[in-house]
PDB file of all heavy atoms in Angstrom:
ATOM      1  N   GLU A   1      -1.672  12.238 -24.085  1.00  0.00           N
ATOM      2  CA  GLU A   1      -3.120  12.309 -24.291  1.00  0.00           C
ATOM      3  C   GLU A   1      -3.872  11.616 -23.155  1.00  0.00           C
ATOM      4  O   GLU A   1      -3.363  10.693 -22.516  1.00  0.00           O
ATOM      5  CB  GLU A   1      -3.493  11.648 -25.625  1.00  0.00           C
ATOM      6  CG  GLU A   1      -2.912  12.358 -26.843  1.00  0.00           C
ATOM      7  CD  GLU A   1      -3.291  11.658 -28.138  1.00  0.00           C
ATOM      8  OE1 GLU A   1      -3.885  10.555 -28.058  1.00  0.00           O
ATOM      9  OE2 GLU A   1      -2.991  12.200 -29.220  1.00  0.00           O
ATOM     10  N   ASP A   2      -5.118  12.095 -22.935  1.00  0.00           N
ATOM     11  CA  ASP A   2      -6.021  11.456 -21.989  1.00  0.00           C
ATOM     12  C   ASP A   2      -7.111  10.721 -22.766  1.00  0.00           C
ATOM     13  O   ASP A   2      -7.608  11.216 -23.785  1.00  0.00           O
ATOM     14  CB  ASP A   2      -6.679  12.483 -21.070  1.00  0.00           C
ATOM     15  CG  ASP A   2      -5.700  13.041 -20.051  1.00  0.00           C
ATOM     16  OD1 ASP A   2      -4.695  12.355 -19.758  1.00  0.00           O
ATOM     17  OD2 ASP A   2      -5.927  14.165 -19.568  1.00  0.00           O
ATOM     18  N   GLU A   3      -7.467   9.544 -22.281  1.00  0.00           N
ATOM     19  CA  GLU A   3      -8.483   8.728 -22.952  1.00  0.00           C
ATOM     20  C   GLU A   3      -9.558   8.348 -21.933  1.00  0.00           C
ATOM     21  O   GLU A   3      -9.254   7.967 -20.800  1.00  0.00           O
ATOM     22  CB  GLU A   3      -7.845   7.450 -23.515  1.00  0.00           C
ATOM     23  CG  GLU A   3      -8.832   6.476 -24.147  1.00  0.00           C
ATOM     24  CD  GLU A   3      -8.193   5.136 -24.498  1.00  0.00           C
ATOM     25  OE1 GLU A   3      -7.024   4.911 -24.132  1.00  0.00           O
ATOM     26  OE2 GLU A   3      -8.891   4.312 -25.130  1.00  0.00           O
ATOM     27  N   HIS A   4     -10.828   8.467 -22.339  1.00  0.00           N
ATOM     28  CA  HIS A   4     -11.929   8.025 -21.479  1.00  0.00           C
ATOM     29  C   HIS A   4     -12.379   6.638 -21.943  1.00  0.00           C
ATOM     30  O   HIS A   4     -12.642   6.425 -23.134  1.00  0.00           O
ATOM     31  CB  HIS A   4     -13.115   8.982 -21.546  1.00  0.00           C
ATOM     32  CG  HIS A   4     -14.281   8.519 -20.723  1.00  0.00           C
ATOM     33  ND1 HIS A   4     -14.342   8.698 -19.361  1.00  0.00           N
ATOM     34  CD2 HIS A   4     -15.424   7.852 -21.082  1.00  0.00           C
ATOM     35  CE1 HIS A   4     -15.466   8.178 -18.899  1.00  0.00           C
ATOM     36  NE2 HIS A   4     -16.149   7.675 -19.927  1.00  0.00           N
ATOM     37  N   VAL A   5     -12.445   5.704 -21.020  1.00  0.00           N
ATOM     38  CA  VAL A   5     -12.900   4.353 -21.348  1.00  0.00           C
ATOM     39  C   VAL A   5     -14.081   4.004 -20.448  1.00  0.00           C
ATOM     40  O   VAL A   5     -14.154   4.421 -19.296  1.00  0.00           O
ATOM     41  CB  VAL A   5     -11.772   3.311 -21.177  1.00  0.00           C
ATOM     42  CG1 VAL A   5     -10.618   3.618 -22.105  1.00  0.00           C
ATOM     43  CG2 VAL A   5     -11.289   3.236 -19.738  1.00  0.00           C
ATOM     44  N   GLU A   6     -15.009   3.229 -20.987  1.00  0.00           N
ATOM     45  CA  GLU A   6     -16.164   2.784 -20.216  1.00  0.00           C
ATOM     46  C   GLU A   6     -15.913   1.386 -19.668  1.00  0.00           C
ATOM     47  O   GLU A   6     -15.549   0.469 -20.402  1.00  0.00           O
ATOM     48  CB  GLU A   6     -17.413   2.776 -21.102  1.00  0.00           C
ATOM     49  CG  GLU A   6     -17.857   4.164 -21.549  1.00  0.00           C
ATOM     50  CD  GLU A   6     -19.150   4.128 -22.341  1.00  0.00           C
ATOM     51  OE1 GLU A   6     -19.668   2.994 -22.550  1.00  0.00           O
ATOM     52  OE2 GLU A   6     -19.643   5.193 -22.744  1.00  0.00           O
ATOM     53  N   THR A   7     -16.095   1.232 -18.371  1.00  0.00           N
ATOM     54  CA  THR A   7     -15.954  -0.070 -17.722  1.00  0.00           C
ATOM     55  C   THR A   7     -16.583   0.002 -16.344  1.00  0.00           C
ATOM     56  O   THR A   7     -16.644   1.075 -15.723  1.00  0.00           O
ATOM     57  CB  THR A   7     -14.480  -0.493 -17.594  1.00  0.00           C
ATOM     58  OG1 THR A   7     -14.415  -1.804 -17.003  1.00  0.00           O
ATOM     59  CG2 THR A   7     -13.694   0.472 -16.711  1.00  0.00           C
ATOM     60  N   ASP A   8     -17.071  -1.137 -15.872  1.00  0.00           N
ATOM     61  CA  ASP A   8     -17.574  -1.200 -14.499  1.00  0.00           C
ATOM     62  C   ASP A   8     -16.769  -2.194 -13.666  1.00  0.00           C
ATOM     63  O   ASP A   8     -17.195  -2.603 -12.584  1.00  0.00           O
ATOM     64  CB  ASP A   8     -19.055  -1.581 -14.471  1.00  0.00           C
ATOM     65  CG  ASP A   8     -19.319  -2.969 -15.043  1.00  0.00           C
ATOM     66  OD1 ASP A   8     -18.356  -3.642 -15.495  1.00  0.00           O
ATOM     67  OD2 ASP A   8     -20.488  -3.400 -15.037  1.00  0.00           O
ATOM     68  N   SER A   9     -15.567  -2.558 -14.183  1.00  0.00           N
ATOM     69  CA  SER A   9     -14.738  -3.543 -13.481  1.00  0.00           C
ATOM     70  C   SER A   9     -13.266  -3.143 -13.560  1.00  0.00           C
ATOM     71  O   SER A   9     -12.651  -3.222 -14.630  1.00  0.00           O
ATOM     72  CB  SER A   9     -14.926  -4.937 -14.090  1.00  0.00           C
ATOM     73  OG  SER A   9     -16.273  -5.360 -13.989  1.00  0.00           O
ATOM     74  N   LEU A  10     -12.726  -2.708 -12.425  1.00  0.00           N
ATOM     75  CA  LEU A  10     -11.321  -2.312 -12.349  1.00  0.00           C
ATOM     76  C   LEU A  10     -10.665  -3.059 -11.186  1.00  0.00           C
ATOM     77  O   LEU A  10     -11.114  -2.943 -10.039  1.00  0.00           O
ATOM     78  CB  LEU A  10     -11.194  -0.806 -12.135  1.00  0.00           C
ATOM     79  CG  LEU A  10      -9.768  -0.266 -11.913  1.00  0.00           C
ATOM     80  CD1 LEU A  10      -8.919  -0.449 -13.171  1.00  0.00           C
ATOM     81  CD2 LEU A  10      -9.802   1.198 -11.492  1.00  0.00           C
ATOM     82  N   PHE A  11      -9.616  -3.803 -11.485  1.00  0.00           N
ATOM     83  CA  PHE A  11      -8.877  -4.549 -10.467  1.00  0.00           C
ATOM     84  C   PHE A  11      -7.501  -3.916 -10.301  1.00  0.00           C
ATOM     85  O   PHE A  11      -6.791  -3.703 -11.282  1.00  0.00           O
ATOM     86  CB  PHE A  11      -8.753  -6.021 -10.873  1.00  0.00           C
ATOM     87  CG  PHE A  11     -10.071  -6.733 -10.915  1.00  0.00           C
ATOM     88  CD1 PHE A  11     -10.845  -6.706 -12.071  1.00  0.00           C
ATOM     89  CD2 PHE A  11     -10.553  -7.397  -9.806  1.00  0.00           C
ATOM     90  CE1 PHE A  11     -12.074  -7.352 -12.119  1.00  0.00           C
ATOM     91  CE2 PHE A  11     -11.777  -8.045  -9.833  1.00  0.00           C
ATOM     92  CZ  PHE A  11     -12.545  -8.021 -10.994  1.00  0.00           C
ATOM     93  N   VAL A  12      -7.161  -3.617  -9.058  1.00  0.00           N
ATOM     94  CA  VAL A  12      -5.945  -2.856  -8.760  1.00  0.00           C
ATOM     95  C   VAL A  12      -4.923  -3.766  -8.090  1.00  0.00           C
ATOM     96  O   VAL A  12      -5.189  -4.329  -7.020  1.00  0.00           O
ATOM     97  CB  VAL A  12      -6.263  -1.650  -7.853  1.00  0.00           C
ATOM     98  CG1 VAL A  12      -5.012  -0.817  -7.623  1.00  0.00           C
ATOM     99  CG2 VAL A  12      -7.377  -0.802  -8.467  1.00  0.00           C
ATOM    100  N   LEU A  13      -3.760  -3.900  -8.703  1.00  0.00           N
ATOM    101  CA  LEU A  13      -2.661  -4.720  -8.175  1.00  0.00           C
ATOM    102  C   LEU A  13      -1.364  -3.938  -8.366  1.00  0.00           C
ATOM    103  O   LEU A  13      -0.544  -4.228  -9.247  1.00  0.00           O
ATOM    104  CB  LEU A  13      -2.594  -6.073  -8.880  1.00  0.00           C
ATOM    105  CG  LEU A  13      -3.892  -6.898  -8.876  1.00  0.00           C
ATOM    106  CD1 LEU A  13      -4.657  -6.719 -10.194  1.00  0.00           C
ATOM    107  CD2 LEU A  13      -3.589  -8.385  -8.662  1.00  0.00           C
ATOM    108  N   ILE A  14      -1.202  -2.883  -7.555  1.00  0.00           N
ATOM    109  CA  ILE A  14      -0.099  -1.940  -7.777  1.00  0.00           C
ATOM    110  C   ILE A  14       0.904  -1.962  -6.627  1.00  0.00           C
ATOM    111  O   ILE A  14       1.384  -0.943  -6.172  1.00  0.00           O
ATOM    112  CB  ILE A  14      -0.635  -0.515  -7.971  1.00  0.00           C
ATOM    113  CG1 ILE A  14      -1.540  -0.091  -6.797  1.00  0.00           C
ATOM    114  CG2 ILE A  14      -1.380  -0.398  -9.288  1.00  0.00           C
ATOM    115  CD1 ILE A  14      -1.979   1.372  -6.869  1.00  0.00           C
ATOM    116  N   GLY A  15       1.244  -3.151  -6.169  1.00  0.00           N
ATOM    117  CA  GLY A  15       2.220  -3.235  -5.091  1.00  0.00           C
ATOM    118  C   GLY A  15       1.541  -3.204  -3.740  1.00  0.00           C
ATOM    119  O   GLY A  15       0.322  -3.212  -3.627  1.00  0.00           O
ATOM    120  N   ALA A  16       2.353  -3.170  -2.700  1.00  0.00           N
ATOM    121  CA  ALA A  16       1.790  -3.286  -1.359  1.00  0.00           C
ATOM    122  C   ALA A  16       2.667  -2.561  -0.344  1.00  0.00           C
ATOM    123  O   ALA A  16       3.834  -2.261  -0.600  1.00  0.00           O
ATOM    124  CB  ALA A  16       1.668  -4.768  -0.994  1.00  0.00           C
ATOM    125  N   ASP A  17       2.073  -2.290   0.811  1.00  0.00           N
ATOM    126  CA  ASP A  17       2.770  -1.598   1.891  1.00  0.00           C
ATOM    127  C   ASP A  17       2.630  -2.386   3.186  1.00  0.00           C
ATOM    128  O   ASP A  17       1.644  -3.107   3.389  1.00  0.00           O
ATOM    129  CB  ASP A  17       2.187  -0.196   2.103  1.00  0.00           C
ATOM    130  CG  ASP A  17       2.445   0.730   0.919  1.00  0.00           C
ATOM    131  OD1 ASP A  17       3.574   0.728   0.419  1.00  0.00           O
ATOM    132  OD2 ASP A  17       1.502   1.436   0.509  1.00  0.00           O
ATOM    133  N   ALA A  18       3.617  -2.239   4.057  1.00  0.00           N
ATOM    134  CA  ALA A  18       3.560  -2.859   5.382  1.00  0.00           C
ATOM    135  C   ALA A  18       2.591  -2.083   6.263  1.00  0.00           C
ATOM    136  O   ALA A  18       2.612  -0.854   6.279  1.00  0.00           O
ATOM    137  CB  ALA A  18       4.951  -2.878   6.009  1.00  0.00           C
ATOM    138  N   ARG A  19       1.734  -2.795   6.974  1.00  0.00           N
ATOM    139  CA  ARG A  19       0.787  -2.183   7.910  1.00  0.00           C
ATOM    140  C   ARG A  19       1.189  -2.593   9.328  1.00  0.00           C
ATOM    141  O   ARG A  19       0.653  -3.537   9.900  1.00  0.00           O
ATOM    142  CB  ARG A  19      -0.638  -2.632   7.612  1.00  0.00           C
ATOM    143  CG  ARG A  19      -1.050  -2.498   6.146  1.00  0.00           C
ATOM    144  CD  ARG A  19      -1.159  -1.066   5.700  1.00  0.00           C
ATOM    145  NE  ARG A  19      -1.675  -0.968   4.333  1.00  0.00           N
ATOM    146  CZ  ARG A  19      -1.669   0.130   3.615  1.00  0.00           C
ATOM    147  NH1 ARG A  19      -1.165   1.244   4.130  1.00  0.00           N
ATOM    148  NH2 ARG A  19      -2.152   0.133   2.374  1.00  0.00           N
ATOM    149  N   THR A  20       2.156  -1.888   9.880  1.00  0.00           N
ATOM    150  CA  THR A  20       2.722  -2.284  11.178  1.00  0.00           C
ATOM    151  C   THR A  20       2.613  -1.182  12.224  1.00  0.00           C
ATOM    152  O   THR A  20       3.341  -1.190  13.216  1.00  0.00           O
ATOM    153  CB  THR A  20       4.204  -2.673  11.006  1.00  0.00           C
ATOM    154  OG1 THR A  20       4.910  -1.557  10.413  1.00  0.00           O
ATOM    155  CG2 THR A  20       4.362  -3.893  10.114  1.00  0.00           C
ATOM    156  N   ASP A  21       1.713  -0.218  12.012  1.00  0.00           N
ATOM    157  CA  ASP A  21       1.599   0.891  12.962  1.00  0.00           C
ATOM    158  C   ASP A  21       1.269   0.399  14.374  1.00  0.00           C
ATOM    159  O   ASP A  21       1.661   1.032  15.363  1.00  0.00           O
ATOM    160  CB  ASP A  21       0.514   1.873  12.499  1.00  0.00           C
ATOM    161  CG  ASP A  21       0.925   2.617  11.234  1.00  0.00           C
ATOM    162  OD1 ASP A  21       2.117   2.582  10.906  1.00  0.00           O
ATOM    163  OD2 ASP A  21       0.042   3.195  10.576  1.00  0.00           O
ATOM    164  N   TRP A  22       0.573  -0.726  14.476  1.00  0.00           N
ATOM    165  CA  TRP A  22       0.170  -1.221  15.790  1.00  0.00           C
ATOM    166  C   TRP A  22       1.377  -1.620  16.641  1.00  0.00           C
ATOM    167  O   TRP A  22       1.289  -1.683  17.874  1.00  0.00           O
ATOM    168  CB  TRP A  22      -0.786  -2.406  15.641  1.00  0.00           C
ATOM    169  CG  TRP A  22      -0.154  -3.624  15.011  1.00  0.00           C
ATOM    170  CD1 TRP A  22      -0.062  -3.903  13.693  1.00  0.00           C
ATOM    171  CD2 TRP A  22       0.468  -4.713  15.697  1.00  0.00           C
ATOM    172  NE1 TRP A  22       0.579  -5.093  13.491  1.00  0.00           N
ATOM    173  CE2 TRP A  22       0.919  -5.616  14.716  1.00  0.00           C
ATOM    174  CE3 TRP A  22       0.692  -5.025  17.038  1.00  0.00           C
ATOM    175  CZ2 TRP A  22       1.566  -6.810  15.017  1.00  0.00           C
ATOM    176  CZ3 TRP A  22       1.349  -6.209  17.354  1.00  0.00           C
ATOM    177  CH2 TRP A  22       1.775  -7.084  16.358  1.00  0.00           C
ATOM    178  N   LEU A  23       2.528  -1.870  15.994  1.00  0.00           N
ATOM    179  CA  LEU A  23       3.727  -2.235  16.747  1.00  0.00           C
ATOM    180  C   LEU A  23       4.370  -1.039  17.448  1.00  0.00           C
ATOM    181  O   LEU A  23       5.165  -1.207  18.374  1.00  0.00           O
ATOM    182  CB  LEU A  23       4.760  -2.884  15.804  1.00  0.00           C
ATOM    183  CG  LEU A  23       4.481  -4.324  15.395  1.00  0.00           C
ATOM    184  CD1 LEU A  23       5.396  -4.735  14.252  1.00  0.00           C
ATOM    185  CD2 LEU A  23       4.648  -5.258  16.575  1.00  0.00           C
ATOM    186  N   ARG A  24       4.054   0.151  16.949  1.00  0.00           N
ATOM    187  CA  ARG A  24       4.608   1.387  17.506  1.00  0.00           C
ATOM    188  C   ARG A  24       6.130   1.268  17.617  1.00  0.00           C
ATOM    189  O   ARG A  24       6.799   0.978  16.630  1.00  0.00           O
ATOM    190  CB  ARG A  24       3.933   1.718  18.836  1.00  0.00           C
ATOM    191  CG  ARG A  24       2.415   1.910  18.723  1.00  0.00           C
ATOM    192  CD  ARG A  24       1.771   2.232  20.063  1.00  0.00           C
ATOM    193  NE  ARG A  24       0.338   2.433  19.920  1.00  0.00           N
ATOM    194  CZ  ARG A  24      -0.553   1.438  19.931  1.00  0.00           C
ATOM    195  NH1 ARG A  24      -0.157   0.194  20.115  1.00  0.00           N
ATOM    196  NH2 ARG A  24      -1.845   1.697  19.774  1.00  0.00           N
ATOM    197  N   ASP A  25       6.680   1.495  18.826  1.00  0.00           N
ATOM    198  CA  ASP A  25       8.132   1.437  18.991  1.00  0.00           C
ATOM    199  C   ASP A  25       8.579   0.153  19.680  1.00  0.00           C
ATOM    200  O   ASP A  25       9.700   0.077  20.210  1.00  0.00           O
ATOM    201  CB  ASP A  25       8.615   2.645  19.818  1.00  0.00           C
ATOM    202  CG  ASP A  25       8.340   3.963  19.113  1.00  0.00           C
ATOM    203  OD1 ASP A  25       8.429   3.989  17.864  1.00  0.00           O
ATOM    204  OD2 ASP A  25       8.032   4.959  19.788  1.00  0.00           O
ATOM    205  N   VAL A  26       7.731  -0.862  19.668  1.00  0.00           N
ATOM    206  CA  VAL A  26       8.082  -2.107  20.364  1.00  0.00           C
ATOM    207  C   VAL A  26       9.256  -2.785  19.694  1.00  0.00           C
ATOM    208  O   VAL A  26      10.193  -3.260  20.348  1.00  0.00           O
ATOM    209  CB  VAL A  26       6.863  -3.042  20.416  1.00  0.00           C
ATOM    210  CG1 VAL A  26       7.256  -4.401  21.001  1.00  0.00           C
ATOM    211  CG2 VAL A  26       5.747  -2.416  21.244  1.00  0.00           C
ATOM    212  N   VAL A  27       9.240  -2.876  18.366  1.00  0.00           N
ATOM    213  CA  VAL A  27      10.357  -3.442  17.616  1.00  0.00           C
ATOM    214  C   VAL A  27      10.850  -2.400  16.613  1.00  0.00           C
ATOM    215  O   VAL A  27      10.103  -1.499  16.218  1.00  0.00           O
ATOM    216  CB  VAL A  27       9.960  -4.740  16.868  1.00  0.00           C
ATOM    217  CG1 VAL A  27       9.496  -5.810  17.844  1.00  0.00           C
ATOM    218  CG2 VAL A  27       8.887  -4.467  15.825  1.00  0.00           C
ATOM    219  N   LEU A  28      12.097  -2.544  16.205  1.00  0.00           N
ATOM    220  CA  LEU A  28      12.682  -1.593  15.256  1.00  0.00           C
ATOM    221  C   LEU A  28      12.084  -1.803  13.873  1.00  0.00           C
ATOM    222  O   LEU A  28      12.045  -2.929  13.363  1.00  0.00           O
ATOM    223  CB  LEU A  28      14.204  -1.777  15.206  1.00  0.00           C
ATOM    224  CG  LEU A  28      14.959  -0.825  14.271  1.00  0.00           C
ATOM    225  CD1 LEU A  28      14.877   0.604  14.794  1.00  0.00           C
ATOM    226  CD2 LEU A  28      16.417  -1.261  14.129  1.00  0.00           C
ATOM    227  N   ARG A  29      11.619  -0.702  13.243  1.00  0.00           N
ATOM    228  CA  ARG A  29      11.092  -0.728  11.889  1.00  0.00           C
ATOM    229  C   ARG A  29      11.802   0.331  11.056  1.00  0.00           C
ATOM    230  O   ARG A  29      12.320   1.309  11.592  1.00  0.00           O
ATOM    231  CB  ARG A  29       9.587  -0.452  11.890  1.00  0.00           C
ATOM    232  CG  ARG A  29       8.759  -1.468  12.660  1.00  0.00           C
ATOM    233  CD  ARG A  29       7.279  -1.091  12.674  1.00  0.00           C
ATOM    234  NE  ARG A  29       7.042   0.135  13.438  1.00  0.00           N
ATOM    235  CZ  ARG A  29       6.114   1.031  13.154  1.00  0.00           C
ATOM    236  NH1 ARG A  29       5.356   0.876  12.073  1.00  0.00           N
ATOM    237  NH2 ARG A  29       5.956   2.099  13.899  1.00  0.00           N
ATOM    238  N   ASP A  30      11.808   0.117   9.746  1.00  0.00           N
ATOM    239  CA  ASP A  30      12.423   1.129   8.893  1.00  0.00           C
ATOM    240  C   ASP A  30      11.412   2.222   8.571  1.00  0.00           C
ATOM    241  O   ASP A  30      10.268   2.208   9.071  1.00  0.00           O
ATOM    242  CB  ASP A  30      13.027   0.511   7.626  1.00  0.00           C
ATOM    243  CG  ASP A  30      11.976  -0.051   6.661  1.00  0.00           C
ATOM    244  OD1 ASP A  30      10.767   0.193   6.876  1.00  0.00           O
ATOM    245  OD2 ASP A  30      12.360  -0.722   5.693  1.00  0.00           O
ATOM    246  N   GLU A  31      11.802   3.175   7.731  1.00  0.00           N
ATOM    247  CA  GLU A  31      10.947   4.333   7.465  1.00  0.00           C
ATOM    248  C   GLU A  31       9.660   3.964   6.724  1.00  0.00           C
ATOM    249  O   GLU A  31       8.691   4.723   6.734  1.00  0.00           O
ATOM    250  CB  GLU A  31      11.726   5.375   6.658  1.00  0.00           C
ATOM    251  CG  GLU A  31      12.129   4.948   5.253  1.00  0.00           C
ATOM    252  CD  GLU A  31      13.358   4.039   5.219  1.00  0.00           C
ATOM    253  OE1 GLU A  31      13.922   3.772   6.311  1.00  0.00           O
ATOM    254  OE2 GLU A  31      13.749   3.601   4.121  1.00  0.00           O
ATOM    255  N   ARG A  32       9.622   2.777   6.110  1.00  0.00           N
ATOM    256  CA  ARG A  32       8.413   2.345   5.395  1.00  0.00           C
ATOM    257  C   ARG A  32       7.578   1.361   6.220  1.00  0.00           C
ATOM    258  O   ARG A  32       6.580   0.848   5.729  1.00  0.00           O
ATOM    259  CB  ARG A  32       8.803   1.702   4.067  1.00  0.00           C
ATOM    260  CG  ARG A  32       9.490   2.664   3.103  1.00  0.00           C
ATOM    261  CD  ARG A  32       9.940   1.952   1.844  1.00  0.00           C
ATOM    262  NE  ARG A  32       8.821   1.329   1.152  1.00  0.00           N
ATOM    263  CZ  ARG A  32       8.951   0.366   0.236  1.00  0.00           C
ATOM    264  NH1 ARG A  32      10.165  -0.089  -0.069  1.00  0.00           N
ATOM    265  NH2 ARG A  32       7.901  -0.141  -0.359  1.00  0.00           N
ATOM    266  N   GLY A  33       7.977   1.117   7.450  1.00  0.00           N
ATOM    267  CA  GLY A  33       7.200   0.260   8.329  1.00  0.00           C
ATOM    268  C   GLY A  33       7.612  -1.196   8.333  1.00  0.00           C
ATOM    269  O   GLY A  33       7.035  -1.993   9.080  1.00  0.00           O
ATOM    270  N   TYR A  34       8.604  -1.562   7.527  1.00  0.00           N
ATOM    271  CA  TYR A  34       9.053  -2.951   7.505  1.00  0.00           C
ATOM    272  C   TYR A  34       9.893  -3.248   8.746  1.00  0.00           C
ATOM    273  O   TYR A  34      10.653  -2.397   9.223  1.00  0.00           O
ATOM    274  CB  TYR A  34       9.845  -3.246   6.230  1.00  0.00           C
ATOM    275  CG  TYR A  34       8.973  -3.252   4.991  1.00  0.00           C
ATOM    276  CD1 TYR A  34       8.757  -2.095   4.248  1.00  0.00           C
ATOM    277  CD2 TYR A  34       8.333  -4.415   4.586  1.00  0.00           C
ATOM    278  CE1 TYR A  34       7.929  -2.089   3.132  1.00  0.00           C
ATOM    279  CE2 TYR A  34       7.512  -4.434   3.465  1.00  0.00           C
ATOM    280  CZ  TYR A  34       7.317  -3.268   2.740  1.00  0.00           C
ATOM    281  OH  TYR A  34       6.495  -3.276   1.647  1.00  0.00           O
ATOM    282  N   VAL A  35       9.761  -4.473   9.271  1.00  0.00           N
ATOM    283  CA  VAL A  35      10.393  -4.844  10.531  1.00  0.00           C
ATOM    284  C   VAL A  35      11.835  -5.273  10.291  1.00  0.00           C
ATOM    285  O   VAL A  35      12.115  -6.119   9.430  1.00  0.00           O
ATOM    286  CB  VAL A  35       9.607  -5.973  11.219  1.00  0.00           C
ATOM    287  CG1 VAL A  35      10.280  -6.385  12.522  1.00  0.00           C
ATOM    288  CG2 VAL A  35       8.167  -5.525  11.479  1.00  0.00           C
ATOM    289  N   CYS A  36      12.760  -4.703  11.065  1.00  0.00           N
ATOM    290  CA  CYS A  36      14.190  -5.015  10.946  1.00  0.00           C
ATOM    291  C   CYS A  36      14.515  -6.257  11.771  1.00  0.00           C
ATOM    292  O   CYS A  36      13.900  -6.524  12.809  1.00  0.00           O
ATOM    293  CB  CYS A  36      15.032  -3.841  11.418  1.00  0.00           C
ATOM    294  SG  CYS A  36      14.729  -2.299  10.508  1.00  0.00           S
TER     295      CYS A  36
END
C-alpha cells in the first residue's frame, strides 16, 4: 500500500558515497570511488 503523510520536515540519513572524482587516475580507486 501507498500512504500519504503531511509533513514539512524530512531528514535523510541513508548512507553515504565517496566523492573522489577530483583524484581522477592519480591514485588507484575501486569501482565505487573508494581509495585503495
Side-chain angles (χ1 to χ4, degrees):
E1 296 179 353
D2 288 337
E3 176 189 7
H4 177 80
V5 299
E6 293 184 359
T7 182
D8 63 359
S9 299
L10 175 66
F11 295 87
V12 184
L13 306 98
I14 54 174
D17 293 316
R19 310 292 185 192
T20 57
D21 292 345
W22 65 273
L23 284 168
R24 300 180 179 85
D25 297 325
V26 174
V27 299
L28 181 67
R29 299 177 293 146
D30 68 9
E31 65 281 358
R32 296 176 59 198
Y34 290 90
V35 179
C36 301

